[in-house]
Amino acid sequence: MRLEQVGDEAALEEWRTQVLGRSGELTQVLRGIGGMEPDERRAVGQAANVAKQELEAALDARSEQLSRAALEREAADGLDVTLPGRPRRPGRLHPVTRTLREILDIFGRMGFAAIEGPEVEHDEYNFGRLRIPEHHPARDMWDTFWFDEEIDGATPLLLRTHTSPMQIRFIEQHDPPVRIVVPGRCYRYEATDATHEWMMQQVEVLAIDEGISVADLKGTLQEFARQMFGPERRVLLRNSYFPFVEPGVELAVDCFSCPGDDPRCPVCRGSGWLEIMGAGMVHPEIIAAAGFDPERYTGFAAGMGVERITMLKYGIEDIRNFYANDLRFLRQF
Ligand code: FA5
């Protein structure tokens, strides 16, 4: 085969093997040199080496010609492979996902396992077993989306308003000691504004064991706040009410954006404190209902809003930015 007749890369490789390869024509000649007279050996050897260099140069030139011809063919078809490619923008995590992972990491290091639960929940778990019977005023605070169907005559189905139902589901199935965090989406029938969405993510915290006290609640949440917002943060427990804890508290951290008394501060509005979660000691009736002796076992629980914590961390003033799918907002993180 002549080199000029070689029409593509595969044929070129075939030519190379045939002529220059290990058992190619030229290699045969070089191998034959061993049996020649010294003078003849030198002359043939030199000639063969010259021929080898020329053949290799011809091979390179032909290879170059072939790829140029291929490019020209593609250009003639309207494809210009020499144009720079379209830049690929690397994706990134949503700021709320980042905060969520940070929260789970912090509690993970303290020994809490992360578990998930259903977003479509029974009335009984979202309310009833959390000591919020029908007609209880706490239901007004947590109105939600209801389903028409009933399954097996069980209590009506709804979109859960908080992650607290997993407190009940978990202790129904597991004995103390319990140390879990439950991340997940929650839904509320809500008129949205800068700090309220109809869908938001919470992380529930639950610890039940012998001898757990309010000091454990405060210490754990304080350590969490420091890791999340900085080592100099102070936390404040304020009295609050949730039917499934006794006593109930709200946990606030001191403002990290102003000295604590600036009425124009977008983070605390001059109050000096930012509420980040509801918490309390698990109600003894809930521990008893799961089959454990409330004189022996005590525990604490907390529920925090992941969007709110993200807002505080990055100084975001409107919660609705998170789910508006505006890339100009999301690309900043
Ligand atoms: C609860 O949901 C309780 N389950 C919390 C709890 C758990 C108390 C365990 C005691 C023991 P609350 O409705 O306050 O409580 O909501 C908890 C957090 O979720 C709030 O502090 C806030 O950060 C966030 N949150 C509540 N509603 C919204 C909303 N509409 N939009 C955004 N975040 C919200």
Side-chain angles (χ1 to χ4, degrees):
M1 188 173 19
R2 294 179 58 85
L3 197 51
E4 302 89 83
Q5 289 162 352
V6 165
D8 57 29
E9 287 292 330
L12 195 66
E13 178 57 20
E14 203 177 307
W15 182 89
R16 195 194 63 76
T17 321
Q18 200 180 329
V19 179
L20 296 165
R22 210 184 295 181
S23 43
E25 290 158 18
L26 187 70
T27 320
Q28 303 287 352
V29 173
L30 286 168
R31 278 212 189 106
I33 290 178
M36 294 177 185
E37 293 299 316
D39 281 353
E40 201 186 359
R41 192 189 300 173
R42 198 172 311 115
V44 174
Q46 276 174 3
N49 274 326
V50 171
K52 184 169 182 224
Q53 282 167 13
E54 283 176 1
L55 286 166
E56 279 172 351
L59 174 77
D60 287 348
R62 185 67 187 147
S63 166
E64 173 82 27
Q65 254 176 12
L66 285 177
S67 40
R68 209 171 316 119
L71 284 181
E72 279 162 12
R73 270 198 309 280
E74 282 163 356
D77 291 342
L79 174 71
D80 184 353
V81 294
T82 65
L83 282 177
R86 288 197 190 102
R88 281 197 197 186
R89 280 179 202 276
R92 66 196 74 198
L93 293 176
H94 192 283
V96 173
T97 305
R98 270 176 45 179
T99 308
L100 181 61
R101 291 193 182 177
E102 242 175 281
I103 296 171
L104 299 183
D105 278 351
I106 294 171
F107 281 102
R109 287 195 292 271
M110 293 197 260
F112 288 77
I115 57 152
E116 291 182 304
E119 288 175 30
V120 175
E121 191 45 286
H122 284 282
D123 182 304
E124 202 180 331
Y125 284 98
N126 196 78
F127 295 123
R129 295 202 201 182
L130 286 165
R131 307 184 68 256
I132 313 171
E134 242 179 287
H135 310 301
H136 190 288
R139 288 198 177 212
D140 296 343
M141 217 162 63
W142 292 317
D143 198 5
T144 182
F145 302 87
W146 297 82
F147 291 83
D148 290 335
E149 312 90 278
E150 280 188 18
I151 297 178
D152 301 335
T155 60
L157 287 167
L158 48 79
L159 290 182
R160 69 175 173 195
T161 60
H162 51 183
T163 40
S164 300
M166 275 310 283
Q167 290 187 27
I168 308 292
R169 285 187 180 277
F170 196 81
I171 56 174
E172 271 179 357
Q173 311 250 331
H174 300 85
D175 295 344
V178 168
R179 259 189 213 88
I180 55 163
V181 279
V182 187
R185 292 187 172 75
C186 304
Y187 304 82
R188 293 185 186 187
Y189 182 71
E190 194 95 68
T192 55
D193 63 22
T195 53
H196 293 85
E197 262 289 5
W198 60 270
M199 191 284 291
M200 42 103 190
Q201 310 208 41
Q202 285 192 343
V203 174
E204 192 81 7
V205 184
L206 178 67
I208 299 179
D209 203 347
E210 289 181 59
I212 290 194
S213 72
V214 177
D216 298 300
L217 161 76
K218 187 166 181 183
T220 306
L221 298 181
Q222 178 160 321
E223 181 55 26
F224 163 74
R226 286 185 178 156
Q227 290 199 30
M228 196 71 199
F229 298 111
E232 63 292 345
R233 292 278 66 75
R234 290 186 300 144
V235 304
L236 174 72
L237 293 184
R238 275 190 292 223
N239 192 32
S240 184
Y241 176 72
F242 301 94
F244 36 95
V245 288
E246 178 57 40
V249 294
E250 247 167 42
L251 183 114
V253 292
D254 61 338
C255 185
F256 42 79
S257 173
C258 78
D261 53 6
D262 179 359
R264 286 159 310 167
C265 173
V267 176
C268 76
R269 298 195 165 76
S271 74
W273 296 97
L274 333 153
E275 184 215 314
I276 57 170
M277 66 180 96
M281 299 305 289
V282 178
H283 200 288
E285 280 181 18
I286 287 184
I287 291 180
F292 303 106
D293 177 4
E295 293 295 328
R296 186 165 161 212
Y297 291 104
T298 49
F300 67 81
M304 64 190 85
V306 186
E307 288 82 2
R308 296 270 182 90
I309 290 176
T310 313
M311 290 170 79
L312 293 176
K313 213 170 147 79
Y314 299 109
I316 296 163
E317 288 173 20
D318 196 318
I319 195 171
R320 289 167 292 195
N321 284 323
F322 289 128
Y323 303 115
N325 284 334
D326 186 339
L327 288 177
R328 288 168 304 177
F329 169 76
L330 294 171
R331 277 200 190 115
Q332 298 174 83
F333 298 94

